[in-house]
Amino acid sequence: MDCIFCRIVAGEIPSHKVYEDDATFAFLDIYPAARGHTLVIPKAHTTDLLSAAPEALEAAVRTSQTVARILHNVLQAHGISIVQNNGRAAGQDVFHYHVHVIPRWEGDKAVRSWRPGETDHGVLGALAAELRAGGGT
Ligand code: AMP
Ligand code: ZN
């Protein structure tokens, strides 16, 4: 098995576990953006958002909420950022689906955001129509 996160689930390489249930595993990121930065993964290998089974996504979101509550209660986080990268172009480095649950405090710069672009309702309307025609599948 060459997937590092599958090896973590199997206990073949060590991790700092935060939470575990039948379907998911949550552990501290070894290069944390903030104190308490946790990764939530489905135990069964799946690559990314596009290919994952809905059940795996549902389980990961539920566990993300559990972890968010833990970070809020234990570390008194003021807020929680969820980051989830899919594909190399989006910055995905580990190709086992994972959700970053990152505690935030007022004034921190832990997560960088995008630069807002221009509003053009003509462009947005045409684009939304094109996307709706794609059918959501
Ligand atoms: P991404 O760039 O979204 O694929 O995120 C991958 C994350 O996995 C990075 O934030 C890494 O710091 C983290 N990571 C890589 N290897 C390990 C490991 N062995 N234990 C914990 N976190 C890891
Ligand atoms: Zn895996």
Side-chain angles (χ1 to χ4, degrees):
M1 180 193 329
D2 64 357
C3 171
I4 188 171
F5 287 177
C6 281
R7 295 187 68 190
I8 283 176
V9 171
E12 292 172 10
I13 58 174
S15 69
H16 300 283
K17 181 170 84 171
V18 172
Y19 175 83
E20 178 178 16
D21 61 21
D22 286 350
T24 64
F25 193 81
F27 55 104
L28 294 178
D29 193 303
I30 40 166
Y31 300 112
R35 182 167 176 262
H37 179 172
T38 300
L39 300 174
V40 173
I41 62 174
K43 285 184 173 174
H45 182 86
T46 190
T47 305
D48 60 19
L49 180 67
L50 295 176
S51 58
E55 297 73 23
L57 299 175
E58 183 182 326
V61 169
R62 285 179 185 277
T63 296
S64 298
Q65 184 187 49
T66 300
V67 169
R69 286 176 170 159
I70 292 170
L71 297 173
H72 176 78
N73 293 338
V74 178
L75 300 183
Q76 285 80 49
H78 299 152
I80 302 288
S81 287
I82 297 293
V83 177
Q84 203 279 301
N85 299 319
N86 300 280
R88 216 172 286 281
Q92 185 176 10
D93 291 320
V94 177
F95 290 88
H96 179 132
Y97 176 88
H98 54 279
V99 179
H100 296 259
V101 184
I102 305 172
R104 304 297 304 273
W105 289 272
E106 298 296 342
D108 78 40
K109 301 252 190 314
V111 177
R112 281 171 293 155
S113 192
W114 62 85
R115 244 180 329 109
E118 301 292 317
T119 302
D120 182 331
H121 289 295
V123 169
L124 295 176
L127 177 59
E130 184 182 348
L131 297 174
R132 285 195 299 275
T137 57

